[in-house]
Amino acid sequence: MEFPKLKILRFGNRSYDSMYIPSKLEMIEESAARCLGADMLDFEQCIVVPALADCLLRTSLPSRVTYLNLYCSQVTIQTVLAFAASFQNLTSLLLPPMFAVLPFDSDDREYGSPEFYEAIWRARPTITEMDVSYADGADLEVVCRLFPLKNLTVTHHTFEFGSTTLVDIILASPCRDTLIEVGIACTSATEVVRLITTLENVKDFHY
């Protein structure tokens, strides 16, 4: 049986009371192969073990996925880069605040870096929507300079980048001409007004 109308595959525990580790990988791989209309993957509250990523990449999903939500997931930088390299039509990427370090039962975490975001761009330069809410100023500068973003979210983070503000970085980048939707936080009302009065194409703004 196939499910051609199913658009999104969710793998996490959306009750947010615990992280979920998918274990029935053969069934997951078979289901992903049968959901031929699915082009969105949601891993919120999911521990994305390498075996899960491998089984999904063996299906036809790499030629179909356009939206990848890794927010509030546990996932390694290596898996993120593998997804970016494999999902040929990926345009939307939502990233977690920190990245897991193997083994998953350790408490070790690492943040992204400018080199990480550059690697994503090299793998998938056509991404037009990103949630990089916990990125710092150097990361954001790379994201806004390289990606032709239409939708950018930067929330849940106190922005510190010397005297340069979050708004400065956005307005100094090519994104000022492409952004249609923006979500930001942790910045002043004056900076918000400066942003939305300068971005001529913005139609949707979240603060």
Side-chain angles (χ1 to χ4, degrees):
M1 181 179 295
E2 296 181 355
F3 305 92
K5 295 185 179 181
L6 194 65
K7 295 291 292 179
I8 184 166
L9 302 180
R10 302 186 191 275
F11 296 90
N13 178 7
R14 298 307 290 267
S15 66
Y16 292 95
D17 57 357
S18 63
M19 300 292 283
Y20 177 66
I21 305 177
S23 58
K24 298 181 180 179
L25 299 183
E26 289 185 4
M27 296 178 66
I28 290 173
E29 185 172 348
E30 182 179 357
S31 297
R34 291 177 180 273
C35 298
L36 298 179
D39 58 7
M40 306 171 73
L41 299 180
D42 187 328
F43 293 97
E44 280 200 41
Q45 294 300 111
C46 177
I47 298 178
V48 189
V49 296
L52 172 62
D54 290 342
C55 93
L56 294 175
L57 293 178
R58 285 195 296 268
T59 71
S60 60
L61 284 170
S63 66
R64 293 187 275 122
V65 170
T66 61
Y67 173 93
L68 177 60
N69 181 8
L70 293 164
Y71 188 75
C72 290
S73 71
Q74 287 188 25
V75 62
T76 66
I77 281 177
Q78 292 75 17
T79 294
V80 174
L81 293 177
F83 281 156
S86 300
F87 295 148
Q88 304 160 22
N89 296 303
L90 185 67
T91 58
S92 299
L93 177 61
L94 286 63
L95 292 171
M98 293 184 292
F99 300 92
V101 176
L102 297 177
F104 278 99
D105 56 0
S106 75
D107 293 327
D108 294 335
R109 297 289 183 271
E110 61 181 332
Y111 287 97
S113 66
E115 293 75 19
F116 166 63
Y117 291 100
E118 288 173 356
I120 294 177
W121 173 76
R122 287 194 298 271
R124 199 56 53 201
T126 52
I127 291 174
T128 58
E129 175 184 7
M130 292 188 76
D131 185 329
V132 289
S133 287
Y134 292 81
D136 66 14
D139 299 335
L140 184 64
E141 189 279 328
V142 169
V143 168
C144 290
R145 173 167 50 85
L146 295 179
F147 291 94
L149 295 178
K150 296 180 180 179
N151 186 333
L152 173 65
T153 300
V154 189
T155 57
H156 309 298
H157 194 283
T158 301
F159 193 84
E160 296 180 1
F161 195 49
S163 60
T164 302
T165 68
L166 180 156
V167 173
D168 288 333
I169 290 179
I170 295 174
L171 295 184
S173 74
C175 286
R176 67 176 291 160
D177 298 321
T178 60
L179 283 170
I180 296 174
E181 183 174 350
V182 180
I184 64 172
C186 303
T187 192
S188 68
T190 301
E191 287 290 275
V192 169
V193 171
R194 183 163 74 97
L195 180 67
I196 62 178
T197 55
T198 305
L199 297 178
E200 298 180 354
N201 297 314
V202 166
K203 298 178 181 180
D204 195 351
F205 181 78
H206 309 279
Y207 178 55

